[in-house]
Amino acid sequence: MTRGPLTRLLAGPAAAALLLTGCTAAADTSSGTGGDATHLRVAYGWYPTCLDYAQSNPYALFGRQVLDTLLSENPRTGELEPYLADSWKSLEGGRAYEFTIRKGVTFSNGEKLTAQVVADNFETLWKMSEQGVSPTPGAYLRGYRGARTVGARKVRVEFKEPNAGFLQANVEGQFGIVAPASLAKSPSRRCAEGTIGSGPFVLDKAVQDERVEFTRREHYDWAPASFPHQGAPAVKRLTVQIVPEENLRAAGVVAGEYDLAYSMTETGLAQAKNQDAVKSVLAPDRSVVNTFVVNTSDPVLADPAVRQALQHGIDRAKLVDTFYGKGVEPATDVVSGGHPDYLDHSELLAYQPERSRSLLDAAGWVKSKGGIRAKDGRPLRLTLTFAGADIGSDASGWEFVKDNLADVGISLTLHRVSDAKQADLRKSGDWQLAVYQGASRGDADGIAAFYSTRFTTWHGQAARPEVDGLLARQAATVDPRKRRALVQKATGEILREGYGIPVFDSAQVALVRTSLRGLTFPFNSWEPVFQSVTKS
């Protein structure tokens, strides 16, 4: 599940059909390696804290270059398709799955992909999740019983109960299959050294806070059929340069120093204006949107009228127009428009301050002389906690929200904390409202992982029997139509009750040289397929 700061304009799995908007102009003034058609240079803002994708999902771009998954997702149809598995089937109502492993695949160290290696990968992921170092794969493996080989090429994965989301999980980079040599390493060594995969690139060098370098695999030949390029990557070298300053990332693309720069806002895009050699690329989101988490066990937030007043008291359209730019839209559902379970709930998220006031009046929250409401001597005061790496970390957008809510009689205190402190608060349950930056998984289990009190990592929330029940049922429902109906019923209830306050939907925005071709995001906007990229 991908998370990140404002300049990243967080996004989740994205459609491969990108929206290309020419910014525009000058001829290629390439300096350095910009003009080398065999060397792809990417400007990125953050050095990965861990080089093992299974343990460090915020840095998907690095891990995905060396890893392949059992399945892929056709970006045009959304259907699952073969990758490292030739075929697959669901058994026992979703309690078991079998994969037939592709022949002829090797890891970059020469080790062969076998059914036993795949079974060992699942066993290792489960052990790492039990150790607490790989929580996201652990959530995907909910109810895991074990994995074993069934003949020379088949792997059977079994669960204690139906796990309807498991097949889709096998397109996620955190389920990337690693070589036996990597399975033998401790989690800490995997973090420090990275993992060996069967992917199109090989990790060559990582220089702390400076760059990560990859080289291509010359005999790579098992990309999914829907990829725009088959065979080994067209580029021989890939360098991801760590450039924290957005202005420098944008300037580097304009100057031809970089072929692509990630995480653009209006600030960086403005530098590319009228530059014909540069275009912007928008990779839409397919995940839970950026949301205020609501601690429903809090005495104030236990009142549904307060939660509903929050829902209608935020002018999302003006917030987005004022503080965000390209790629950000007001939330209209708990998930973004590209999610397979999206349903337009605009009316439940409409800005209606008069309705917020009426709800609070009817619930007995009386406005005092200072403008802040109170009930039974308790003032209507709430604290919004957000971490330094969160979207809106400069707090200007949240100040706007604070003013919105003050207008209906709700006092909002902004509390900025470290990432570590936010994690501690999340576990302790000692919080009221907190910023959550979307889970980048295009499956209903991504919704359940956030909104079900049985599965969420945001501790302390009061049980919500109807929603918890619906989300549990969808997780065990293999039939896609029945599952979708359950999910949409749950999301409607979530919004009506204010169990979360969706704020805005966002996409990944990048600047690229127009000489770049074949850039796609079939899985996730943080996992571009560089295997398909060419430079003219």
Side-chain angles (χ1 to χ4, degrees), residues 240-255:
V240 183
Q241 195 74 32
I242 309 305
V243 186
E245 299 82 6
E246 181 186 355
N247 286 335
L248 294 181
R249 293 198 297 275
V253 174
V254 171

Side-chain angles (χ1 to χ4, degrees), residues 15-267:
L18 302 180
L19 304 178
L20 305 183
T21 55
C23 278
T24 265
D28 190 341
T29 55
S30 300
S31 61
T33 62
D36 182 353
T38 68
H39 187 186
L40 178 64
R41 295 199 58 170
V42 177
Y44 190 83
W46 303 268
Y47 187 83
T49 54
C50 174
L51 290 169
D52 178 12
Y53 193 3
Q55 299 182 65
S56 182
N57 62 334
Y59 304 98
L61 179 146
F62 299 93
R64 192 78 208 207
Q65 307 316 314
V66 302
L67 298 172
D68 295 323
T69 49
L70 289 179
L71 307 180
S72 186
E73 193 173 64
N74 187 299
R76 290 175 294 278
T77 67
E79 297 296 320
L80 297 178
E81 63 180 4
Y83 200 168
L84 294 182
D86 280 334
S87 62
W88 59 93
K89 56 184 176 181
S90 172
L91 303 167
E92 300 177 18
R95 289 182 175 83
Y97 296 86
E98 283 187 3
F99 301 91
T100 300
I101 306 306
R102 183 171 182 161
K103 293 180 179 179
V105 175
T106 60
F107 295 97
S108 60
N109 65 348
E111 292 180 296
K112 294 180 179 180
L113 176 71
T114 65
Q116 187 61 57
V117 170
V118 174
D120 291 344
N121 266 260
F122 284 120
E123 288 289 295
T124 300
L125 278 172
W126 182 246
K127 289 176 183 176
M128 289 171 64
S129 72
E130 289 185 314
Q131 294 168 5
V133 298
S134 198
T136 301
Y140 297 166
L141 290 168
R142 184 190 67 256
Y144 180 77
R145 177 171 286 165
R148 57 187 172 86
T149 60
V150 183
R153 292 177 54 210
K154 288 188 178 180
V155 176
R156 181 182 174 97
V157 185
E158 298 178 337
F159 297 89
K160 299 173 185 176
E161 57 192 23
N163 187 331
F166 175 68
L167 276 183
Q168 189 278 338
N170 284 279
V171 310
E172 300 286 331
Q174 289 181 296
F175 266 24
I177 304 299
V178 304
S182 292
L183 294 176
K185 293 181 180 180
S186 67
S188 60
R189 283 192 64 193
R190 288 175 58 159
C191 259
E193 300 170 7
T195 54
I196 299 168
S198 62
F201 290 93
V202 180
L203 177 62
D204 183 46
K205 180 187 295 185
V207 181
Q208 180 74 36
D209 296 327
E210 182 181 323
R211 69 186 188 278
V212 180
E213 297 182 3
F214 302 86
T215 57
R216 76 175 177 187
R217 288 196 64 190
E218 297 295 339
H219 302 293
Y220 182 80
D221 192 28
W222 39 85
S226 64
F227 278 24
H229 173 76
Q230 297 297 308
V235 296
K236 294 181 179 180
R237 297 171 57 205
L238 165 64
T239 298
V240 183
Q241 195 74 32
I242 309 305
V243 186
E245 299 82 6
E246 181 186 355
N247 286 335
L248 294 181
R249 293 198 297 275
V253 174
V254 171
E257 183 179 358
Y258 308 120
D259 302 297
L260 181 153
Y262 249 70
S263 312
M264 290 294 109
T265 66
E266 291 300 316
T267 299

Side-chain angles (χ1 to χ4, degrees), residues 493-506:
E493 184 68 9
I494 287 165
L495 293 176
R496 281 188 291 272
E497 290 293 326
Y499 290 140
I501 312 297
V503 183
F504 57 82
D505 186 10
S506 55

Side-chain angles (χ1 to χ4, degrees), residues 28 90 142 171 200 271 346 357 372 406 415 449 452 521 527:
D28 190 341
S90 172
R142 184 190 67 256
V171 310
Q271 295 189 58
S346 299
R357 296 186 189 101
I372 301 304
H415 184 41
S452 170
F521 300 79
E527 299 181 6

